Amino acid sequence: MKYGIVIFPAKPLQDFVNSYRKRYDPHYTHIPPHITLKPGFDAENHQINDIVQKLHEVAQKTEPFDITITKFSSFKPVNNVIYLKIDPKDNLEYLHNEIDTKIPGHVSEYVYVPHITVGQQLTNDEHSDVFGSLQMLKVNMQDKVDRFHLLYQLENGSWTVYETFRLGKE
Amino acid sequence: MKYGIVIFPAKPLQDFVNSYRKRYDPHYTHIPPHITLKPGFDAENHQINDIVQKLHEVAQKTEPFDITITKFSSFKPVNNVIYLKIDPKDNLEYLHNEIDTKIPGHVSEYVYVPHITVGQQLTNDEHSDVFGSLQMLKVNMQDKVDRFHLLYQLENGSWTVYETFRLGKE
């Protein structure tokens, strides 16, 4: 089964992001706006209890922290993904690394950039148009991260939450 | 903010239900297949910590239990909702009642029928056609309920999980 680990920002930020995702993100209906901590990975049913236990340990020793979002950014030329950049990234990087090293055989090979996807699978022209105008927008949103979630993917591509992990509380 | 409390069945049951919801349920993209324990209710931000605490208490004193699904049923003539009936209903009724009485001002006025919605907002003709054929199907699925989730609704109608409550474990 395919699992993933994400943070859901608070409703005001999610509603803001969805106003763009509706038009620019084909995954709009598959999952609410989120910050990915660990992208989709395969795990067997018998491995999940162990993974859950390790995620509780990571959550327990991490205190809740604040994040700020001040601008739209893009992964182009790597891909045509437009996202909201999250600052500071150190707490999220820490969480990502802790989780990555605790789940054996699944260590990422890419540089982790904490973000909330706003648009993806855009053509070059769409990307240029959309990012051109979003880049001009001033954004100033704060949020507090106090939990993350383990999700699994259904056959239709949508995600269901399996369990919540509260930072510093477990 | 609008909150709800649901159980997500395991993936095989969710995939089975989604194969019908895709065609017959306009809420297909808003929430994964679920058993509603408490339908949408309004709560203020400052009330949520107290509600979460009470839900943890309910979860803690409830042991995980098994459910069986053996047939499609319908709420007609009350409404044109087609659903999978869940047996036995006593454990789910207990959970529903515990939650309902713990969240002040939100006691339900309807009879609780534990179910998984398969289709809704059908015209009379659609209902008659679809239910006519689903009624003939033999279903025999088992699942174990060991957790429930508190969700909140975004402006676009979709639901985000806020927290998970594990039965007997909290």
Side-chain angles (χ1 to χ4, degrees), chain B residues 73-76 79-83 115 117 119-121 127:
Chain B
S73 195
S74 165
F75 286 127
K76 196 172 173 75
N79 57 45
N80 287 358
V81 170
I82 298 170
Y83 62 91
H115 68 279
T117 297
Q120 57 190 325
Q121 296 174 30
H127 178 275

Side-chain angles (χ1 to χ4, degrees), chain A residues 76 80 82 122-132:
Chain A
K76 197 174 172 75
N80 287 359
I82 298 170
L122 303 166
T123 65
N124 285 336
D125 282 354
E126 282 173 328
H127 178 275
S128 168
D129 280 359
V130 176
F131 187 51

Side-chain angles (χ1 to χ4, degrees), chain A residues 1 8-11 14-15 18 28-29 32-33 52 56 147 149 152-156 158-164 166, chain B residues 1 8-11 14-15 18 28-29 32-33 52 56 147 149 152-156 158-164 166:
Chain A
M1 208 143 86
F8 293 124
K11 180 173 179 293
Q14 287 186 305
D15 287 334
N18 265 344
Y28 171 63
T29 60
V52 164
H56 277 296
R147 63 195 64 212
H149 307 269
Y152 58 89
Q153 192 170 31
L154 300 184
E155 293 307 313
N156 71 351
S158 70
W159 293 85
T160 297
V161 170
Y162 183 69
E163 188 148 344
T164 304
R166 293 204 296 175
Chain B
M1 206 143 86
F8 293 125
K11 181 173 178 293
Q14 288 186 305
D15 287 334
N18 265 344
Y28 171 63
T29 60
V52 163
H56 277 296
R147 63 194 65 212
H149 308 269
Y152 59 87
Q153 192 170 31
L154 301 184
E155 293 308 311
N156 70 352
S158 70
W159 294 84
T160 296
V161 169
Y162 183 69
E163 188 149 343
T164 304
R166 292 204 294 176

Side-chain angles (χ1 to χ4, degrees), chain B residues 5-17:
Chain B
I5 300 169
V6 307
I7 292 160
F8 293 125
K11 181 173 178 293
L13 187 46
Q14 288 186 305
D15 287 334
F16 174 72
V17 175

